[in-house]
Amino acid sequence: METRREQIYSTAGSLFSRRGYAATSVRDIARELDLQGGSLYAHIASKEDVLWAIVADAADRFFAAARPLAASDAPAAARLRGMIHAHIGVVTGQIERATVFLQEWRFLSPPRREAIAARRDEYEGLFRATIAAGIAAGEFAPTDPKLAATLVLSALNGIPGWYRPDGGLSAEAIADHFADTLINGLARRV
Amino acid sequence: METRREQIYSTAGSLFSRRGYAATSVRDIARELDLQGGSLYAHIASKEDVLWAIVADAADRFFAAARPLAASDAPAAARLRGMIHAHIGVVTGQIERATVFLQEWRFLSPPRREAIAARRDEYEGLFRATIAAGIAAGEFAPTDPKLAATLVLSALNGIPGWYRPDGGLSAEAIADHFADTLINGLARRV
DNA sequence: CCTACCGATCGGTAGG
DNA sequence: CCTACCGATCGGTAGG
């Protein structure tokens, strides 16, 4: 029971992720739904509103997946491992929307772009704080938590560039490997 | 003694990196050079040719920086450290062209896009081979070299998303931190 | 390198 | 949701 509007978001997400927002026209979206170009505007107010709906929804999913893990009382390394798995789960499970979130948000108008920039920084803060806690607890070697969080998230956010759902590598296998390598990289030498 | 054509590449690189290829018009480029839109075509054959010139040039720079280090006879960890520094040097030293190379190459026409995909895979192969050599030599823990190379390059290629040349963090400091963390992450536990 | 133009397409709207 | 349209802009070209 998908509403027309949800169909539009889904189709737009697919097209935006493949061709980019700027290179996708509202008529491209309409065509995939067997509608006339102008008919889309019975359901949406503007092309940018569609982008915004996709981006804001994806941001919510990342927070919903990672925040509970960041807030748990497990050791920092275990929390970080869980957050890496959760993040990769969103990226691979919603690959089109995640790609649009990661790559196309810069086409939002300034107020919305700034809102997303703020949310991204807040989200990165979950990783920063977890890494900082791990350093304080002696689990991780002393390092710049901000730079380390950026490294971790950059590695994870590169996944849409090469991941194929039907490839030989499961999201779980990728998450295990990435978590092993990254956490090992942060770990204190014994 | 910059030729007009080089000015066009430089201006286009700046605009493509900021707004994206699809959202930049040839008139945008012309305006920055105080030319009429059509006058650009006295110097270039098409908008796509400009993108191609930038992307192909950036690819050359990455190879020129990393290939000699990959081929040296130093231990694998030292080679990988050098390659990470070299790669980050290109990314931060030519940030606009590097951004266009990393983000906008998908707007190339199919034959050129495939050529760049092949070069990217070849380049990633330098990292794969170095990591595989490190595993064989017992410097690195056994792991999937392909996945590990992808992790490393994803982390490095995220840098244009946040690096600011006038920020408090030098390219060298970033490279040191990233190389430390990534090589530590690959290292064999002792 | 400019003027003036080409056909195509853009996001969006009026009125039904 | 369609038809028919709006003004603006697109990449590119002819002729000078």
Side-chain angles (χ1 to χ4, degrees):
Chain A
M1 202 61 103
E2 202 184 19
T3 69
R4 204 49 150 162
R5 189 184 294 216
E6 283 162 350
Q7 287 178 10
I8 292 170
Y9 294 158
S10 168
T11 301
S14 175
L15 290 170
F16 291 170
S17 72
R18 273 184 287 148
R19 306 184 192 171
Y21 175 75
T24 301
S25 73
V26 295
R27 283 163 181 78
D28 292 334
I29 300 168
R31 193 178 306 114
E32 297 255 320
L33 295 166
D34 289 315
L35 296 179
Q36 295 302 312
S39 303
L40 273 190
Y41 289 88
H43 306 282
I44 63 164
S46 72
K47 184 187 174 190
E48 195 216 324
D49 278 4
V50 175
L51 176 61
W52 171 248
I54 295 168
V55 166
D57 172 72
D60 288 343
R61 290 174 193 261
F62 280 109
F63 269 104
R67 185 173 260 155
L69 294 159
S72 91
D73 55 2
R79 273 188 285 155
L80 184 58
R81 179 175 294 277
M83 292 163 73
I84 288 170
H85 273 263
H87 188 92
I88 291 179
V90 175
V91 165
T92 58
Q94 316 279 334
I95 192 154
E96 293 174 344
R97 292 171 125 86
T99 302
V100 174
F101 172 68
L102 294 169
Q103 311 262 19
E104 308 299 326
W105 67 287
R106 60 184 166 140
F107 293 106
L108 290 167
S109 60
R112 287 169 163 176
R113 194 169 60 232
E114 285 157 27
I116 292 297
R119 289 209 81 187
R120 287 181 69 121
D121 187 61
E122 187 192 349
Y123 185 75
E124 192 181 302
L126 299 177
F127 285 77
R128 274 199 302 271
T130 303
I131 291 168
I135 295 168
E139 296 175 66
F140 296 153
T143 190
D144 179 345
K146 181 168 170 49
L147 208 42
T150 304
L151 189 163
V152 170
L153 280 170
S154 294
L156 306 190
N157 290 340
I159 292 177
W162 56 269
Y163 173 72
R164 298 292 163 253
D166 50 355
L169 221 48
S170 73
E172 277 301 305
I174 296 166
D176 280 334
H177 180 282
F178 273 37
D180 284 348
T181 303
L182 291 166
I183 289 168
N184 197 28
L186 294 170
R188 199 165 172 200
R189 305 293 82 185
V190 283
Chain B
M1 200 62 101
E2 202 183 19
T3 68
R4 203 48 148 163
R5 188 184 296 219
E6 283 162 349
Q7 287 178 9
I8 292 170
Y9 294 159
S10 169
T11 302
S14 175
L15 291 169
F16 291 169
S17 72
R18 273 183 286 147
R19 305 183 193 172
Y21 175 76
T24 301
S25 74
V26 295
R27 282 163 181 80
D28 291 335
I29 300 167
R31 193 179 305 115
E32 296 256 319
L33 295 165
D34 290 315
L35 296 179
Q36 295 302 312
S39 303
L40 271 190
Y41 289 87
H43 305 284
I44 63 163
S46 71
K47 184 187 173 189
E48 196 216 325
D49 278 6
V50 176
L51 176 59
W52 172 248
I54 295 168
V55 167
D57 172 73
D60 288 344
R61 289 174 194 259
F62 280 109
F63 268 103
R67 185 173 260 155
L69 294 159
S72 91
D73 55 2
R79 273 189 285 155
L80 185 58
R81 180 175 294 275
M83 291 162 74
I84 289 170
H85 273 263
H87 188 93
I88 292 179
V90 175
V91 165
T92 57
Q94 317 280 333
I95 191 153
E96 292 172 346
R97 291 170 127 86
T99 301
V100 174
F101 172 68
L102 294 169
Q103 311 260 19
E104 307 298 326
W105 67 286
R106 60 184 168 141
F107 293 105
L108 290 167
S109 60
R112 286 168 163 177
R113 194 170 60 231
E114 285 158 25
I116 291 298
R119 289 209 82 188
R120 287 182 69 122
D121 187 60
E122 187 191 349
Y123 185 75
E124 194 181 298
L126 300 177
F127 286 76
R128 275 198 300 271
T130 303
I131 291 168
I135 295 168
E139 296 174 67
F140 296 153
T143 191
D144 179 345
K146 181 166 169 51
L147 208 42
T150 303
L151 189 162
V152 169
L153 279 170
S154 293
L156 306 189
N157 290 340
I159 292 177
W162 56 268
Y163 174 72
R164 298 293 163 255
D166 50 355
L169 221 45
S170 73
E172 278 300 306
I174 295 166
D176 280 334
H177 180 281
F178 273 36
D180 284 348
T181 304
L182 291 167
I183 289 168
N184 197 28
L186 295 171
R188 199 166 172 199
R189 305 292 82 184
V190 285

